[in-house]
Amino acid sequence: SSRLAPMLCATSTDAAPTFILAAANDAKIAIHIPHTKQQQQPASHQLPAPTLRKPTALAATTTTAALADDKGELLFYDLARRELLRSLHAHQGPVLDLLFTSHDTVLSSGADRLILTHDLATGEQTGSRKAGKAAVSKLACAPDGRHVLLAASTLRLLRLDTWKRVCRFSGHASATRHAAFSHDGTLLLSAAADRSMSLWAVSYSAKADDDDAPLVASFAFDADVVALGFAPASDAESATSSYTWFALTSDGDLHLWRVTAAALCAPSPKA
C-alpha cells in the first residue's frame, strides 16, 4: 500500500451521495459525478476559488457546498450551476471544520476557538459561541438533526436549539480529527492523530452529562486514521441487529468491522 496524499473530500449529507467534492493544497476544487441513471457518463468539473489559500475544511448538501481555508475565509457554492455564491471572512486564522445543520445554515469552527453560525440565504453571521479552552477541531451532526458534536481532545454532545450539553466523552490525547455517528445515533466513532480509534455509546439524556460516556471499544493501527464511518442500515432488521463501520489509515489500509448489537455488550473487538 502507498502513503495517501492529503486531500479534503465530501459528499452530500442529506441523501445518497450523488457526487464527490475534492480539494487539495493546490487550491483547486473539483466536483466528480459518478455514472448513474441520470448521469450516463462520469463527469468532473472544477469550481472557481478566487480567494482561496490552503483549503482546510469542506462540507456539502445535495445543492450547496462550503469550503474554508487557513486564513479564515469561507466560500459557498451553488452545485447545480457550479457557481460561487458568496465569500466571507469568518475567523481569525484557520477554519478547522464546517457542518451543514440545515440547507441554509452552516457552522464553522476555527483555531480562534469560536464556533460561528452562518445563514446561506443572506450571507450573514447569525451566531457566535466560544468553544472553551481548546478549539473545536471536528463538528458532526447526530442523525436526529437536533444534536451536534463538538470535538477537541474531549468531545461534547449538545442540543442545537439550546446549546446545552447532554453528553461528554473523555476523548483523545490530542485534537479529534474524525468523528461519525451510527445510523441510529447510538454509537460514535472518533479518531485523533495517535494511530487509534474509539467507539463510544451515546446517550441523549441530560442526566448523562454527569459522567463520561462509556467507551465500547478501542482500536490500534500502524498509521493514523484519515477517514472513518458507519455503513447505512440496509433494512429494518439490520438497523437494530448489527453495525458495520470502517477505518482508512494513512498507509492505505482499509479496516472493516461488522458486529451484532448483542456482541457490543461482550468484550471489546480487536482491530
Side-chain angles (χ1 to χ4, degrees), residues 101-124:
T101 57
S102 70
H103 281 282
D104 297 323
T105 306
V106 175
L107 295 182
S108 64
S109 61
D112 55 6
R113 295 186 296 174
L114 292 178
I115 302 168
L116 306 179
T117 305
H118 310 276
D119 187 321
L120 293 187
T122 63
E124 295 180 355

Side-chain angles (χ1 to χ4, degrees), residues 5-250:
M7 177 176 288
L8 299 172
C9 294
T11 59
S12 59
T13 58
D14 51 0
T18 55
F19 59 83
I20 299 173
L21 282 175
N25 286 344
D26 58 5
K28 294 181 179 179
I29 313 103
I31 178 170
H32 306 285
I33 305 171
H35 171 76
T36 63
K37 291 181 179 180
Q38 292 75 27
Q39 178 73 31
Q40 295 301 316
Q41 295 295 328
S44 295
H45 308 278
Q46 191 163 311
L47 300 177
T51 63
L52 188 70
R53 304 293 182 91
K54 179 183 177 181
T56 57
L58 180 64
T61 69
T62 53
T63 59
T64 311
L67 183 67
D69 71 6
D70 61 341
K71 300 299 182 182
E73 297 289 329
L74 298 185
L75 304 179
F76 299 106
Y77 294 92
D78 182 320
L79 293 178
R81 298 180 178 180
R82 297 190 288 276
E83 294 179 351
L84 181 65
L85 290 174
R86 58 177 52 88
S87 62
L88 57 94
H89 185 78
H91 291 270
Q92 299 300 317
V95 178
L96 302 181
D97 203 15
L98 296 166
L99 176 69
F100 279 90
T101 57
S102 70
H103 281 282
D104 297 323
T105 306
V106 175
L107 295 182
S108 64
S109 61
D112 55 6
R113 295 186 296 174
L114 292 178
I115 302 168
L116 306 179
T117 305
H118 310 276
D119 187 321
L120 293 187
T122 63
E124 295 180 355
Q125 177 185 309
T126 58
S128 176
R129 297 171 178 84
K130 293 183 179 180
K133 295 181 179 179
V136 169
S137 52
K138 185 63 182 177
L139 299 163
C141 198
D144 64 5
R146 299 192 299 269
H147 295 82
V148 63
L149 181 77
L150 308 182
S153 55
T154 57
L155 299 84
R156 296 168 289 159
L157 185 67
L158 288 75
R159 287 186 59 94
L160 268 173
D161 55 353
T162 63
W163 284 82
K164 181 179 180 180
R165 188 174 69 183
V166 298
C167 188
R168 71 181 180 217
F169 311 83
S170 56
H172 303 271
S174 58
T176 302
R177 290 186 172 182
H178 309 281
F181 287 92
S182 61
H183 52 77
D184 59 1
T186 61
L187 295 173
L188 173 71
L189 284 171
S190 66
D194 55 7
R195 300 185 178 185
S196 71
M197 181 175 72
S198 298
L199 178 67
W200 311 90
V202 182
S203 173
Y204 295 87
S205 170
K207 295 180 180 180
D209 187 43
D210 295 335
D211 301 297
D212 288 340
L215 176 66
V216 178
S218 59
F219 308 85
F221 306 102
D222 294 328
D224 288 342
V225 174
V226 296
L228 55 75
F230 286 90
S234 57
D235 51 53
E237 182 178 358
S238 65
T240 57
S241 63
S242 66
Y243 300 89
T244 302
W245 64 85
F246 77 91
L248 178 65
T249 50
S250 61

